Amino acid sequence: MTPPTPAKTGLSALPRGIWVLGLVSMAMDVSSEMIHALLPVYLVAVLGASTLTVGFIEGIAEATASLVKIVSGTLSDRLGTRKWLAVLGYGLAAFTKPIFPLAPSVAWVTAARFVDRIGKGIRGAPRDALAADIAPPDMRGAAFGLRQSLDTVGAFLGPFLAVVLMWASGGSYVLVFWVAVVPAFVAVALLVFGVEDVARPAAEGDPDDPVDGRVPLGGAFWGVVAVAAVFGLARFSEAFLVLKASAVGLPATLVPLVLVVMNVVYAIAAYPAGALSDKAGRTAPLLVGLAVLIAGDLALAFADGLVLAAVGVAAWGLHMGLTQGVITALVADAAPASRRGTAFGIFNFVTGVAALGASLLAGGLWDAFGAQATFLTGAGFAVLTALGVAVLRRARANCRRAGGAAAKQGAKPRKF
């Protein structure tokens, strides 16, 4: 008698599509970060751009991506396809990559960055909604955590490869840019051939959630968005971590290690945090992550040497690992299945605007009052976010109790 095959657990239990989506994100991040790590210096030193021009290019590019996210998410709900919108977004990004080594002027680079960010805006919400469609409801946290881990591996592997290639080639920007083309097209191929679109029925069998895009997003979703917006104000650009490390004595040649340390910790923590949220609830790792962020901000606020600054940087990476995949899973939990694309588009737009506001506020506080004011303000917003998460936790508990009572009476439980 053949013994029964043991059920898969952990990472092996995740659907293949989740792994492929994670590898797609990783490959595109390797490509993009290889270019972006060098692009500001290339624009100024090689193409003769001013720093104001560099800021203008980046500002326009990111604003464009934020606006497109809402449209693409809603479109994926209306058209009934997530995969091919994601393919379009990744494809646009891939086809811009050869422009960077070929660009004869700043105008060409500006156009490439603009189209690249349009691609990012198009792919984000459909990709996240597709991941939510593919992942079993009881493994969403693990699924988003894995994708976030692989994405973050690409975020630090790209700059590392750029440094190695610059050293090996004697400083050839063009060579690095050409090498970056390869993983971009690998990402597109993986998505085209490795992921199947999902026919989306009513949300988890809910007949009141037809696939027509008309069902309201609901208060649970908007509560998550509100908390995420405040959280965004607590998370200003990682550039301020670099500035702090430099201010306490880190040599310029070692400054890239700040982001390497942060992203390594982030990548290691993201999947376990997501898997934990599937078992212990979403809000538990969020609250722990916020406590870690507060501790990291306090360490950075009062750091006068490299050791305490390093602790603060590592804490930032840990808080991102504990929170980013989990809050994405919360969006998937709260949004109706037929409107997940719209939900992720709104969520990404709101958090993007909040991140921009946070960085502007952080920079203003730094200039006016110094680094300590920036990090203490960040800690204050993290405290406010924790209060919001506590409210969400109570709401989810109330919904579970109401759901249990409704099930006993044969009624439909409230979602969330």
Side-chain angles (χ1 to χ4, degrees):
M1 180 176 177
T2 304
T5 303
K8 293 182 179 179
T9 58
L11 287 169
S12 62
L14 288 170
R16 188 190 72 162
I18 296 297
W19 280 95
V20 177
L21 286 173
L23 292 172
V24 167
S25 293
M26 183 178 76
M28 187 58 76
D29 255 27
V30 168
S31 174
S32 296
E33 294 303 325
M34 286 179 72
I35 293 174
H36 299 165
L38 299 175
L39 193 59
V41 178
Y42 180 73
L43 282 166
V44 173
V46 178
L47 297 182
S50 66
T51 53
L52 177 62
T53 300
V54 174
F56 174 78
I57 291 172
E58 292 302 309
I60 290 294
E62 294 304 325
T64 301
S66 294
L67 291 172
V68 173
K69 286 173 183 177
I70 294 180
V71 177
S72 68
T74 301
L75 200 58
S76 78
D77 292 333
R78 296 289 184 181
L79 296 179
T81 178
R82 310 227 195 262
K83 171 183 171 176
W84 293 108
L85 276 173
V87 168
L88 174 61
Y90 278 105
L92 282 175
F95 279 100
T96 64
K97 295 299 188 280
I99 297 176
F100 291 99
L102 293 172
S105 66
V106 173
W108 279 84
V109 173
T110 303
R113 279 290 285 153
F114 182 75
V115 176
D116 174 75
R117 293 298 90 179
I118 289 177
K120 181 177 180 180
I122 289 173
R123 70 183 182 247
R127 179 203 61 211
D128 289 342
L130 179 59
D133 292 342
I134 293 172
D138 62 347
M139 296 192 73
R140 280 188 190 136
F144 283 110
L146 175 65
R147 197 201 69 76
Q148 202 70 56
S149 286
L150 292 172
D151 183 88
T152 308
V153 169
F156 67 77
L157 191 57
F160 175 76
L161 289 174
V163 170
V164 171
L165 288 170
M166 284 290 282
W167 173 79
S169 66
S172 175
Y173 292 94
V174 171
L175 173 66
V176 176
F177 292 167
W178 275 120
V179 173
V181 171
V182 177
F185 282 93
V186 168
V188 177
L190 283 170
L191 184 56
V192 170
F193 298 109
V195 179
E196 296 295 328
D197 222 337
V198 177
R200 295 184 311 286
E204 277 72 63
D206 183 351
D208 291 336
D209 185 10
V211 187
D212 61 5
R214 295 175 194 167
V215 64
L217 288 169
F221 166 75
W222 291 110
V224 174
V225 170
V227 170
V230 180
F231 193 10
L233 294 173
R235 282 196 57 248
F236 38 77
S237 169
E238 290 85 6
F240 293 97
L241 307 185
V242 174
L243 290 173
K244 179 64 178 184
S246 179
V248 297
L250 187 68
T253 54
L254 298 180
V255 159
L257 289 178
V258 172
L259 296 185
V260 170
V261 168
M262 188 198 75
N263 282 312
V264 166
V265 176
Y266 183 2
I268 291 171
Y271 169 73
L276 175 64
S277 78
D278 291 327
K279 296 179 174 61
R282 308 284 185 227
T283 54
L286 278 178
L287 289 170
V288 174
L290 286 163
V292 170
L293 175 58
I294 293 166
D297 278 335
L298 292 175
L300 289 161
F302 296 103
D304 56 4
L306 290 175
V307 173
L308 196 54
V311 170
V313 168
W316 259 69
L318 181 57
H319 108 267
M320 291 177 71
L322 288 168
T323 60
Q324 295 309 104
V326 173
I327 202 164
T328 307
L330 258 179
V331 175
D333 292 344
S338 64
R339 299 202 67 193
R340 280 187 187 134
T342 301
F344 277 111
I346 293 171
F347 170 77
N348 290 334
F349 174 76
V350 170
T351 53
V353 170
L356 174 60
S359 293
L360 292 174
L361 177 61
L365 288 170
W366 191 297
D367 287 341
F369 305 107
Q372 191 172 89
T374 293
F375 290 107
L376 290 178
T377 300
F381 279 118
V383 171
L384 291 177
T385 306
L387 295 175
V389 172
V391 172
L392 282 182
R393 185 171 191 162
R394 173 173 287 187
R396 286 171 68 85
N398 289 340
C399 281
R400 282 193 292 270
R401 284 194 292 270
K408 289 179 180 178
Q409 300 171 8
K412 186 184 71 164
R414 289 186 298 163
K415 185 173 180 179
F416 196 29

